[in-house]
Amino acid sequence: MDKQFTATSASPHVVLNISGDLRLKGQDASEVVAKSEDPEALSMEVNGDQVVIRSTNDCTVRVPRSAVVEVQAVHGDATIKALDDGLSIDAVDGDLELRNVGTTQIGRLAGDLAAKNVDGNLIIDNAMGEATLRSIQGDFTTTGRIYGNLTLKDVGGSAKAASNGNIMLHLDPAPGHVYEFDCFGNLFCRLPTDASVEISVPKAAQVMVSLPGIHALAPVQAPYALTLGEGDAQLTLTAKGNLTLDTHAPDWDMEDFDIDVDSEVNGMADAVSQQISQQVDLQVRMIEDQLNAQLSSLSMRLSGAKLSENQARRIEERARETSQRAAERAQERVRRAQQRMEQKLAAAQRKMEMKAQAHERAARHNRGGWTFSIPTPPAPPAPQSDPVTEDERLMILRMLEQKKIGMEEAEQLLNALEGKS
């Protein structure tokens, strides 16, 4: 494998033109490193604080986290992670994955887009495939169109997008912000129960509404408008297909656990366990609230479906049983995750206590002198810990991403859970 590198400042200007796949990641070191399987494929030009990388094959690149990165072209797939500063992408012929990046501008994307944790604005000219976006801290804008489906969850600023497919939105409209979405397919918009927003639907085949205090027993026709709360934000939704407005449905994955831990592994078990317990209780309440909301929405739809009373009752009973089973499975899953994490943290704490005792005995021995003490019987060996699950690893990585723990602390926690020294 050919490897080229150069020392740089903490924020160099890096330009890339790659004829294969690109894997780019930010790092703490002030250097740019490029690797390729083909020694003849890679070139690096350095001009002051600008580094230009060209490759006629697949390429892996490491740059300082604060680098300003300009991707002129990638004639394959691209994965870009861990950049704090500006990122501009002119063209990608394949799929694009973004994670933990700063403000990003994308010109032409031929494949699918997956973006998560953008700490700034996200601007897209044209994306030919699907777009799945989560946790955009700034504004989200498409100057052209997304030609596939668009899924957007959690945007901190205003948003404006157009799609040739369907649009799925999970929004918490912020006061003073404006949101505009237009699609050729169906549009689904989920809002929190305490949303404060003016909603306008200029066009849609039909509108289904299931929001707190809004009792639409049957589909309504566009144009349609309503105000939730004080109407502090503005939301405009346009669809050539059907449009559905309802409340947030919680996600049952480990990312719902937002856990803050101390900087030291030793002694963190109680704090983490307490926070997990609190959030499990919150999840259970969310499950119950969502179940009630879903059943209420179903009752509204059945009322307008011209079914007999017996037919509607049987459908509602089956839906209630199915929803309750799903809720029970979700509760059991989060409780098992809590139990596994508590067991592993407790085992890690016992191991570290044993090491501390061993260090203390060694220190007393090294100090020398005549002392008499009754030897402490050896502690029973700690049970071998199970391998760290993917959910637990994702939990720790999420804490690292949110800067609630540092890299060293994350490594300590992973090592402790894996039973390493």
Side-chain angles (χ1 to χ4, degrees), residues 83 98-104 114-122 131-140 150-159 168-172 248 251 253 255-256 258 398 401-402:
L83 294 178
L98 302 174
R99 177 167 294 202
N100 301 324
V101 297
T103 292
T104 301
K116 183 177 179 181
N117 296 337
V118 178
D119 190 13
N121 300 331
L122 176 61
T132 303
L133 316 175
R134 180 166 181 169
S135 298
I136 311 300
Q137 300 303 316
D139 296 339
F140 167 60
L150 166 63
T151 299
L152 175 63
K153 183 172 184 180
D154 298 335
V155 57
S158 298
M168 170 68 80
L169 304 173
H170 289 233
L171 296 178
D172 187 0
H248 274 311
D251 295 329
D253 57 31
E255 291 181 344
D256 287 322
D258 184 14
R398 180 171 175 81
E401 290 172 3
Q402 295 179 342

Side-chain angles (χ1 to χ4, degrees), residues 68-90:
V68 176
V69 177
E70 176 186 350
V71 179
Q72 293 181 340
V74 176
H75 299 293
D77 299 332
T79 300
I80 301 176
K81 300 179 180 181
L83 294 178
D84 296 335
D85 217 319
L87 169 63
S88 65
I89 303 171
D90 293 341

Side-chain angles (χ1 to χ4, degrees), residues 124-187:
I124 303 172
D125 290 346
N126 287 288
M128 306 304 295
E130 312 281 334
T132 303
L133 316 175
R134 180 166 181 169
S135 298
I136 311 300
Q137 300 303 316
D139 296 339
F140 167 60
T141 307
T142 60
T143 59
R145 301 191 72 85
I146 294 172
Y147 286 83
N149 298 327
L150 166 63
T151 299
L152 175 63
K153 183 172 184 180
D154 298 335
V155 57
S158 298
K160 181 178 181 180
S163 168
N164 282 10
N166 302 320
I167 293 181
M168 170 68 80
L169 304 173
H170 289 233
L171 296 178
D172 187 0
H177 287 297
V178 178
Y179 307 84
E180 299 179 19
F181 297 93
D182 182 2
C183 70
F184 287 169
N186 300 319
L187 195 154

Side-chain angles (χ1 to χ4, degrees), residues 1-8 14 16 27 31-46 51-56 59-63:
M1 174 178 289
D2 187 29
K3 174 181 176 181
Q4 299 186 29
F5 68 93
T6 181
T8 66
V14 181
L16 300 110
Q27 61 182 2
E31 64 179 9
V32 174
V33 181
K35 300 178 183 179
S36 177
E37 294 289 347
D38 184 359
E40 303 297 327
L42 185 64
S43 69
M44 177 184 293
E45 299 176 7
V46 181
V51 181
V52 179
I53 299 173
R54 296 183 177 87
S55 177
T56 58
C59 188
T60 300
V61 179
R62 296 289 183 269
V63 301

Side-chain angles (χ1 to χ4, degrees), residues 314-332:
R314 286 198 301 272
I315 293 174
E316 187 170 352
E317 288 175 354
R318 288 198 297 269
R320 183 182 297 274
E321 293 171 356
T322 301
S323 297
Q324 287 176 341
R325 287 195 297 271
E328 290 169 0
R329 289 194 298 270
Q331 293 179 34
E332 182 61 25

